[in-house]
Amino acid sequence: MPCPSSCPPGLLALMAPGLALMATFSLPSQAGDRRALPVEKPPGVKGRTLILLDVNTKSPVRIISENFLSLQLDPSIIHDGWLDFLSSRRLVTLARGLAPAFLRFAGKRTDFLQFHNVKNPAKSRGGPGPDYYLKNYEDARSLDKLYNFADCSGLHLIFALNALRRNPNNSWNSSNALSLLKYSASKKYNISWELGNEPNNYRTLIGRSVNGSQLGKDYTQLRSLLQLIRTYSRAHLYGPNIGRPRKNVIGFLEGFLKVAGGTVDAVTWQHYYIDGRVAKVTDFLKTRLLDTLSDQIRKIQKVVNTYTPGKKIWLEGVGTSSAGGMNNLSDSYAAGFLWLNTLGLLASQGIDVVVRHSFLDHGHNHLVDQNFNPLPDYWLSLLYKRLIGPKVLAIHVAGLQRKPRPGRVIRDKLRIYAHCTSYHNHNYVRGSITLYIINLHRSRKKIKLAGTLRDKIVHQYLLQPYGKDGLHSKSVQLNGQPLAMVDDGTLPELKPRPLRAGRTLVIPPLTMSFYVVKNVNALACRYR
């Protein structure tokens, strides 16, 4: 199937468990073995905070996947009739902007889809009507469209198979999956695989449970099937894609890893921050909410390091809110604070890949709306892809501050992460460094680059809401210019604002921004 005509062939922070920076409170005694920068109170500063920032340029503290920021498509696109639109030139252009990345095809409907190897199931003799197939079947034509979209967009498809087809003894019935595997192999489709979606929640979905040990056996069975098919004998397999790691879910993961820890190439779980029924815009500004992910990371890492030390970990299925999200909230500028902090936090903790749910269609957590217009989180993701490389760097900070009130917990409302600049961005020479900063304060903050960053030219990419809706806005501006597609086949140029060497960075309130520090010649960033 031809592509559309346009288709060409961390930072480590010193404070807080989440490794994010508290810019308003950083004392030398809390910096461990990291040397705090000497601070002198500049003239005219009366109680205001000036943050001095330097980056360790000698070696990275983490190296994440080139596909770190990846995407998810929910199988609801079959039920909702969106699959035909994947051939849209506009959608391919938007998806290609976020390549390289994985495209995970999975969601709640994963375990209710069956594969039917006919090109037009509506005309199959004696079979059910077209509505039945539309809602319940992934037919050959649908798989072709899905793979063609991923291939044209430069994305690697990960397909989650139905895990709820069960034999009487509760073992996995692989017959339908085998039909799908044979068909995709006959087409030479390069696909990685999973089995099921959030299996710890099956009892809630259908009143029937599958424990971790049994799912581990099912994964072992799937691996054996893949090895029998030459095309997929070395295919990657990921799982178990559990939900939030509460006590019972941790037990599920332990049972799974005991049986199939050596079978999977990465251990996966998913996370949603907010109950969509009660969220409001101020929720996205709460540092306590931003920090909830840190505890989950530690729990997952503890189990994985116990049973499969060194195994890669993916957060596979993440969004601002559950229940499909909330209109004018999880698809607004405000949701970007959670998304960008998620990216920074996961990278600094060594999580190899994060899969955003969803690229299109699913509720209001998506990156592209139903008119195929990019939403604020899309532009944020595009900036991340263009500017951020896989090497995470440690930073050093010091600042002036007012003494905190007794008993008050100070949370970090200014979060700063640092990476080597993306090698794919040819506007910057190797050795450049990119900072990305979240300012949740209702006042502007000033950062002075010091040490290796002192007196370097900086390019600013300041992302702010566009229009009268403020934090609720679904449009954004970059350095004061609104962002929009040029046409269906062309994304806009992301133009930086050059800052003179040595200039203090002024971070506006309630904003997200990226700063490329040019020509640092950082040793950590010279080589891939």
Side-chain angles (χ1 to χ4, degrees), residues 171-305:
S171 63
W172 180 49
N173 185 325
S174 62
S175 57
N176 190 255
L178 184 59
S179 296
L180 192 155
L181 291 171
K182 287 181 177 179
Y183 174 80
S184 58
S186 71
K187 304 286 283 189
K188 300 189 183 307
Y189 288 161
N190 181 20
I191 302 176
S192 295
W193 304 93
E194 296 182 0
L195 182 59
N197 182 78
E198 202 175 357
N200 55 282
N201 200 38
Y202 285 163
R203 180 174 291 279
T204 302
L205 282 178
I206 62 166
R208 181 179 185 178
S209 64
V210 176
N211 62 37
S213 297
Q214 180 58 57
L215 189 69
K217 295 175 184 177
D218 302 335
Y219 262 78
T220 302
Q221 181 182 350
L222 174 55
R223 174 60 80 187
S224 298
L225 284 181
L226 293 174
Q227 290 173 341
L228 291 174
I229 301 172
R230 178 177 297 179
T231 303
Y232 300 122
S233 61
R234 297 184 180 180
H236 288 155
L237 181 60
Y238 306 109
N241 194 251
I242 54 172
R244 183 174 297 182
R246 298 183 177 93
K247 185 177 181 180
N248 63 317
V249 181
I250 289 296
F252 185 101
L253 179 59
E254 290 174 337
F256 175 84
L257 292 179
K258 288 177 183 177
V259 176
T263 299
V264 293
D265 295 285
V267 177
T268 63
W269 98 103
Q270 55 183 270
H271 172 70
Y272 295 89
Y273 283 95
I274 302 174
D275 185 338
R277 295 167 294 183
V278 298
K280 49 189 180 294
V281 71
T282 53
D283 287 335
F284 296 107
L285 309 179
K286 294 178 179 177
T287 55
R288 180 176 288 106
L289 178 66
L290 270 65
D291 291 337
T292 56
L293 184 57
S294 296
D295 183 55
Q296 291 198 27
I297 295 171
R298 286 193 296 271
K299 289 179 179 178
I300 296 292
Q301 286 177 332
K302 181 179 179 181
V303 176
V304 172
N305 290 336

Side-chain angles (χ1 to χ4, degrees), residues 6 39 114 149 191 205 216 233 271 282 326 368 469 514 520:
S6 66
V39 179
Q114 299 181 53
F149 171 73
I191 302 176
L205 282 178
S233 61
H271 172 70
T282 53
M326 311 80 63
V368 177
D469 294 327
F514 296 78
V520 179

Side-chain angles (χ1 to χ4, degrees), residues 449-514:
L449 301 183
T452 54
L453 309 185
R454 183 187 292 113
D455 297 330
K456 302 295 183 184
I457 295 175
V458 175
H459 279 184
Q460 172 186 276
Y461 298 81
L462 175 61
L463 198 67
Q464 295 174 290
Y466 178 71
K468 62 182 180 180
D469 294 327
L471 295 178
H472 288 276
S473 178
K474 294 183 182 180
S475 300
V476 295
Q477 54 184 327
L478 180 65
N479 295 325
Q481 298 298 314
L483 287 176
M485 294 186 73
V486 177
D487 54 48
D488 286 352
T490 311
L491 293 169
E493 183 182 357
L494 303 177
K495 296 181 180 180
R497 178 191 174 196
L499 306 178
R500 72 175 185 270
R503 179 174 173 175
T504 298
L505 307 183
V506 180
I507 317 298
L510 300 175
T511 57
M512 296 165 281
S513 51
F514 296 78

Side-chain angles (χ1 to χ4, degrees), residues 10-23 26 34 51-57 59-64 68 290-291 294 297 301 340-351 384 387-398 412-421 433-439 447 449 453 513-515 524-525:
L11 149 86
L12 286 182
L14 304 177
M15 310 290 298
L19 299 182
L21 282 176
M22 185 193 315
S26 181
R34 293 181 185 149
I51 297 98
L52 299 185
L53 171 65
D54 190 13
V55 173
N56 184 337
T57 61
S59 60
V61 291
R62 301 273 192 260
I63 300 177
I64 53 178
F68 174 71
L290 270 65
D291 291 337
S294 296
I297 295 171
Q301 286 177 332
L340 188 57
N341 187 69
T342 297
L343 294 171
L345 186 60
L346 292 170
S348 66
Q349 298 265 15
I351 303 303
Y384 190 97
L387 300 175
I388 302 299
K391 293 184 179 180
V392 186
L393 305 175
I395 68 166
H396 305 275
V397 290
D412 34 326
K413 289 191 172 185
L414 187 70
R415 302 186 174 219
I416 309 172
Y417 300 94
H419 288 237
C420 295
T421 302
I433 287 172
T434 302
L435 310 170
Y436 50 110
I437 302 174
I438 303 167
N439 184 11
I447 297 176
L449 301 183
L453 309 185
S513 51
F514 296 78
Y515 295 88
C525 306

